[in-house]
Amino acid sequence: MARVGETSRFDYLLFVAMIASCVIGLSILVSYMWRTVVAGSYLFIWKQMIAFSIGLTGALLLAYVDYRHLKKYAPIIYVVFMTLLFLVLIFGKVARGARSWFSIGPFSFQPSEFMALAYIIFLAWYIELQQKWEGIKQFAVSGLITLLPMGLILLQPDFGTSLVFIAIFLGMVYLGGAQLGYILSLVIAGAIASFISLFLTFAQLKYTVPGSHRLGNAIAATFSSNNNIITFLFVVFLVLVLCYFAIRKFYRNFSFANVVYAFVPILLGVMGATGIQGFLKGYQRQRLIAFLEPTLDPLGVGYNIIQSKIAIGSGKFLGKGILSGTQSQLGFLPEQHTDFIFAVIGEELGFVGAGLVLFLLCLIIWRGIVISTQARDTFGGLLAAGIVCMFAFHAVINIGMVMGIMPVVGVPLPLISYGGSSLIAHMLAIGVLLSVSYRRYMY
Amino acid sequence: MKSILEQKLRLVPQRLIVFAIIILIAFFIMFVRLFQLQIIKGASYRKVSEENRTQITFTQAPRGNIFDNDGKLLVGNKPSFTLTFTPDFFSRDLSISRVSEKLSYFLKTDSQKLLKNLEQANLYPFKSSRIKTDIDRDVAFYISERHNEFPGFSIQVEPIRDYKYLDFASHVIGYMGEISRDQMFKLETEIYRMGDLIGKSGVERVHDALIRGKDGGTAIEVSAAGKQVRVLQHINSQRGNDVMLSIDFELQRIAEEVMGNKHGSIVFIDPSSGAIRALVSKPDFDPNVFLRPLESEQARYLLRSNDKPLFNRATQAQYAPGSVFKIITAIAALEEGVLSPKDTFECTGEFKVGKQERIFRCWKEEGHKKVNMIKGLGESCDVYFYNVGLMLSRGTLPRYARYFGLGDETGIDLPGEKKGIVPDRAWKKKLLNEGWWDGDTVNMSIGQGYLWVTPLQMANLVAAVANGGDVWQPYLVKEIISPDGKILQETEPKLKRKITIKPDTWKVIKEGMRYAVTKGTAQAVNMRKLPIAAKTGTAENPQGEDHAWFAGYAPFDKPELAFVVFVEHGGHGGVVAAPIAREILDRYYGLEEQKKAVDTREVRD
């Protein structure tokens, strides 16, 4: 084993990608604030700058400290942030319809953004602690570790932020070696549950006249109409089911019992669909499917999607230039500095700029995967894997949403969207990645 | 390096590959989508975004004016001040929350609510958003004079309806309100937009489409910075058409004043055309209050109180006509030839009907003694008409009632007119599943029982008596005039029916009604300078105080006005309603006659 030089031990590529993303985000924020008159728009910039400084310091500090120290503190970190999530429900400030913020003077702090990182550390610690995946115990305990923070965040209620835990959970237990059967069962159950409930909402919205409840007709009409997205979703669903059976066969323990067993996730999914129907409010379900056909709700969420697609599309190859995007400058775009920031980038900087952002995020994720494979222990590998999941989920959901191919779920674009807590949390995560990378050859 | 993986890493290597591939595919899809949006469809999205640069602003058209019969302006428009906010012009050096606090003090609104509105407006920094409509003139001037204190705020002048005489003729004119979703749906025309005000009752409602005019608008191209580049199209708003009512301002004003705060209605009608000269319904309302959001107290009174101020008691309220109906009974008897005007009956104060000898009383306990038809009408002797009623064959009274337009809409140009009820055997069978008894006929012959009429129907009835048989369709709108002075619509008096009965019959009825004024129950209106013919009435009300009726016309020889005064729970027509008519006519004709003392015991009908 050849020793690698000091310089290459620090992952400069990852570090540079992080700084570049932050700089792009800050520039867009400055240009947005330039033309708005929100009270104290300078304050927004200052707050973001301060958050950036804190994040940078924290990231470098974490990179410098051996990540293995985190192992000792993993349960404490998890408990502390769970407590904070609990307290925010009582003492938190309500903004944008959710009780998610502690406000301290001019600053506010959103514990749910940090919870994801705390949860990754704790789950990595737990999985490493287990010697084997025996029976359903480890899988179930991991699931419980996931559901606790998710539940608290759903109570705020912040649907978007809670979803990232599912992505991280699936990624970490998959790479951590959990039984494929459990994971696939869960995925299939989830797919069925969300498919059924969202599909029903879509069909109701599109094909039922208010007052009539002929859902059967609506479903028939949906299939007869040549809506490619519905067909696409259905195909995806079928492929998932087929994969499931194929994999089970591949493992050569296919039996009649397994066929029966295969119905369990489907049953769970159908039951889950009822749960989703009950838990999500009508408008939330509408939001989730508005991307399928934004014209159904052209003045609500659909409006935002239509306008953001126009913004991105009209940027063409080179963009309209900073401060010249008509869609963003004339106020057709909502939430330009937070959830829809990618649309502003697409409009003003074109394919070049938006592509660069995608590339930078891709780079970070690629480095994350490499670091995960090179990590010197399971804990480090899982930490990196969880962080990769967090970045990938946020990036894909956010960018997919503004481009109209993902549901409207309020998640930030990592490192770029305005929001101090999210910025710091993601920068700290990069710090952890850097630390794992830095110590890959240490024993 | 491979050895490290195998030794130390428990992450499953194949799974890492699958994991990486899944993420790769997701990002690949993002790239493809980005390419599709920006490169493939870029040109068409660019075009859409350029169309997005057109802003359209509407300018509200002023509604047409409403005039009285002589061209006196009753309803016009006045400028109202709307506060708008264009966030882009706001100064960075000021705190928006402090400005909003200051504004809320002047506007007398909640500052948190105002701040929320301003933040909402901030989503569209280059558009001017309405913050508050109809603000006080002083405040409007104060704000517009202090640009530095309130940058980005400006005052727009918009026309707002001005009901000059407040609650004057409010049931005729009507009021305005925001168009409802249902109305939008039903009207199916392009001239209405969501949030528009539309006439909700009265003339404002009936002729809304003609009165409202056409909104104008401006299409402006804006630059990327949101500044106006050029005006693409400008359409001036078109003022709505004016309406001239048949209402006589003076008569209406006097009638409203004399009625005071009694509940009831007054109708004055021109017997030569059916033109309504005055239409009073009390309690009434001030249409101006509907132009702003109603305060809860106001809303409760206007919409839910027992006073029902929005209810038009002249056209929508239905009561028994009482003794006024004796006109019909008398006409029926004379026309059917069951008796001559000179035939008499003895009134002892009571009358027995049927085998059970059920007793029906006259309003005058001691009786009228010997009564012929003219005295019967004039002194409103119940026993005389009980006898007459029973002499008529069944079905005759309802037939004559309908002949004079009872039980049917008069066709006045107001929404929601009621028909009333003319009961007969079939009606009673259907509704109560009972036969028609002699007692029912006896009741009906003096206008009690199941009979229901509106005050307007009664006014139209006495108008037909006054003019000798012409039943006109009453109307309120005389002319509709375009802004450039052309008459678009002129109401031709419409004769609904010509009542053909013997001239002698008319003569007897008129003499009976004249007798009522000179010697009978209507002596309250016995005026030296103005001969009047009239009939009193009292609608028995088992639930409470009786309703007072008074119907008549003047002058006796050459009728100019037919009228009805109705006082809800007023008591006796001759005691309560007749003096009201007297005072109105006295003041309207400027007679200044001394009020005569009337023995109320003699006119208790």
Side-chain angles (χ1 to χ4, degrees), chain B residues 50 76 128 131 137 252 278 341 348 428 458 545 567 580:
Chain B
E50 271 155 16
S128 94
I131 301 299
R137 170 181 286 264
Q252 174 82 21
T348 58
K428 199 181 172 199
M458 292 322 269
E545 192 80 32
V567 184
I580 291 174

Side-chain angles (χ1 to χ4, degrees), chain A residues 4-57:
Chain A
V4 186
E6 281 288 307
T7 44
S8 66
R9 284 171 54 183
F10 185 77
D11 198 327
Y12 281 105
L13 209 49
L14 177 60
F15 185 72
V16 168
M18 173 185 82
I19 298 294
S21 303
C22 293
V23 168
I24 292 177
L26 276 169
S27 322
I28 297 291
L29 179 70
V30 169
S31 89
Y32 173 71
M33 290 307 169
W34 186 261
R35 59 197 149 79
T36 43
V37 287
V38 182
S41 54
Y42 291 131
L43 201 62
F44 277 65
I45 297 167
W46 276 116
K47 275 156 99 174
Q48 195 69 353
M49 294 286 262
I50 291 167
F52 174 72
S53 314
I54 295 172
L56 189 61
T57 317

Side-chain angles (χ1 to χ4, degrees), chain B residues 230-287:
Chain B
R230 65 193 168 113
V231 174
L232 297 172
Q233 198 183 9
H234 177 78
I235 301 167
N236 281 320
S237 65
Q238 273 176 288
R239 207 168 77 82
N241 301 304
D242 294 341
V243 171
M244 190 174 248
L245 300 175
S246 60
I247 294 287
D248 182 322
F249 179 81
E250 274 306 304
L251 186 59
Q252 174 82 21
R253 189 180 59 81
I254 294 168
E256 286 186 14
E257 264 179 41
V258 175
M259 193 67 170
N261 48 18
K262 293 188 191 73
H263 292 197
S265 59
I266 297 174
V267 178
F268 275 82
I269 198 165
D270 181 347
S272 67
S273 65
I276 304 279
R277 294 288 176 229
L279 190 148
V280 179
S281 172
K282 289 271 185 177
D284 55 11
F285 58 92
D286 177 2

